[in-house]
Amino acid sequence: MTWKNTFTTLIIALSTLILIQIGNIVQYGFGIIMNPFGFISFAGLIIFSIYIYFINKAFEQNKQNNSLKNLEYASYVFIALNVIPIVRSIFFIALSYQTFKVTIWLIPMLISILTIGLLIHSFILRKKTFGSFLKVKNDELVYDLESLKHKSFETDKQRLEVCKLCTNRTFDKNVGMVCSLTLVKPTFKSMCTDFSLDTKEYQKRVNEVIENGKNSKKKSVWAYIVTAIIIIRIIIKIIQSS
């Protein structure tokens, strides 16, 4: 399943769940999302919606950023937490003998399961396309260059991004960057077999990412702290209500 199809289906599924939540709020008031189970579902919808916006942007721009990394990790947490409302729905369905009540619980539950499945598929597509997120080891960021071997390149812009890290690149004043082996612009669809890593340019790119990472490090730390506080409060409420 391609990202375009996954994205479209996710939009439909999330929009449906949001409309169901709005309908519940109109009918029962805001109290329905203030209980632990309602809060988990509602907060999850917000996190998932923001995540698919950023991942779709990453696919359009052919690059990922730190915001996507943090949102994906937050999505992992809320997918795990959303198992609780799903199990709760199954419990109510099992105990209910009225078709109408079963339908009320069954439809949102099935859509939620579909959404979680699509989100997991989007994680796989993201990793397959861009590789693992940048990892910090011994104060150096390591690019997942291995992922380039499995990536397809459809535009000149995508191919030139690879060429910028290759020692075989050269410049033609009439057409711009070209391959020094063929003296024309690159046309490869899959990873170029003549690619030779330019270690100096690679290190330059790494240093740029490190500098950008330092600027956003404090924001990331606070994001994790806030997420941890929210999770702890949810767990406490669940324990108190049980």
Side-chain angles (χ1 to χ4, degrees):
M1 190 174 185
T2 65
W3 166 247
K4 185 176 180 180
N5 294 334
T6 304
F7 178 66
T8 302
T9 311
L10 271 170
I11 289 291
I12 295 172
L14 286 171
S15 298
T16 303
L17 289 173
I18 290 171
L19 288 174
I20 291 173
Q21 287 279 12
I22 293 173
N24 289 334
I25 292 171
V26 171
Q27 186 173 359
Y28 303 108
F30 283 96
I32 195 168
I33 63 171
M34 297 310 293
N35 69 76
F37 300 109
F39 180 80
I40 290 172
S41 298
F42 189 75
L45 289 176
I46 295 174
I47 294 296
F48 299 154
S49 299
I50 297 174
Y51 172 73
I52 65 168
Y53 167 78
F54 276 96
I55 192 174
N56 185 60
K57 190 175 180 181
F59 276 104
E60 288 178 345
Q61 298 177 349
N62 196 36
K63 63 179 181 180
Q64 58 187 5
N65 52 45
N66 287 332
S67 297
L68 184 62
K69 176 182 178 180
N70 295 332
L71 285 167
E72 183 164 317
Y73 290 162
S75 296
Y76 294 161
V77 173
F78 276 95
I79 283 176
L81 289 174
N82 267 272
V83 171
I84 300 172
I86 289 174
V87 171
R88 181 170 175 256
S89 296
I90 294 173
F91 177 76
F92 277 104
I93 290 171
L95 292 180
S96 178
Y97 298 98
Q98 299 180 29
T99 305
F100 177 72
K101 288 185 177 180
V102 169
T103 304
I104 290 176
W105 288 97
L106 185 62
I107 294 176
M109 184 193 73
L110 292 177
I111 298 175
S112 295
I113 293 173
L114 172 64
T115 301
I116 290 174
L118 290 170
L119 283 167
I120 293 173
H121 182 62
S122 71
F123 301 154
I124 296 171
L125 286 177
R126 195 274 313 153
K127 186 173 182 179
K128 184 177 180 181
T129 303
F130 301 109
S132 301
F133 287 114
L134 298 180
K135 299 179 180 178
V136 179
K137 185 176 181 181
N138 300 326
D139 297 325
E140 294 184 358
L141 288 176
V142 183
Y143 283 105
D144 187 11
L145 294 174
E146 186 68 21
S147 66
L148 293 176
K149 296 179 181 179
H150 310 288
K151 187 176 179 181
S152 60
F153 304 91
E154 304 297 334
T155 66
D156 286 340
K157 182 179 178 181
Q158 292 174 336
R159 288 185 279 267
L160 289 175
E161 284 299 315
V162 176
C163 294
K164 288 177 182 178
L165 293 176
C166 180
T167 56
N168 293 323
R169 72 184 185 280
T170 189
F171 186 80
D172 187 307
K173 63 180 180 180
N174 296 319
V175 296
M177 186 182 297
V178 296
C179 178
S180 62
L181 301 177
T182 61
L183 298 180
V184 295
K185 282 185 173 294
T187 57
F188 54 85
K189 297 291 184 180
S190 56
M191 186 57 182
C192 179
T193 54
D194 295 315
F195 177 79
S196 176
L197 181 64
D198 184 336
T199 54
K200 290 184 178 179
E201 182 64 24
Y202 172 76
Q203 189 60 49
K204 179 182 176 181
R205 297 289 186 99
V206 169
N207 292 337
E208 289 176 355
V209 175
I210 292 175
E211 189 62 32
N212 292 334
K214 288 179 180 179
N215 295 333
S216 62
K217 187 175 181 180
K218 291 183 178 179
K219 294 181 180 179
S220 298
V221 170
W222 279 109
Y224 289 126
I225 292 174
V226 171
T227 302
I229 291 173
I230 291 173
I231 294 171
I232 292 171
R233 291 188 64 180
I234 291 171
I235 294 173
I236 291 173
K237 287 183 178 180
I238 292 173
I239 294 173
Q240 290 175 343
S241 63
S242 60

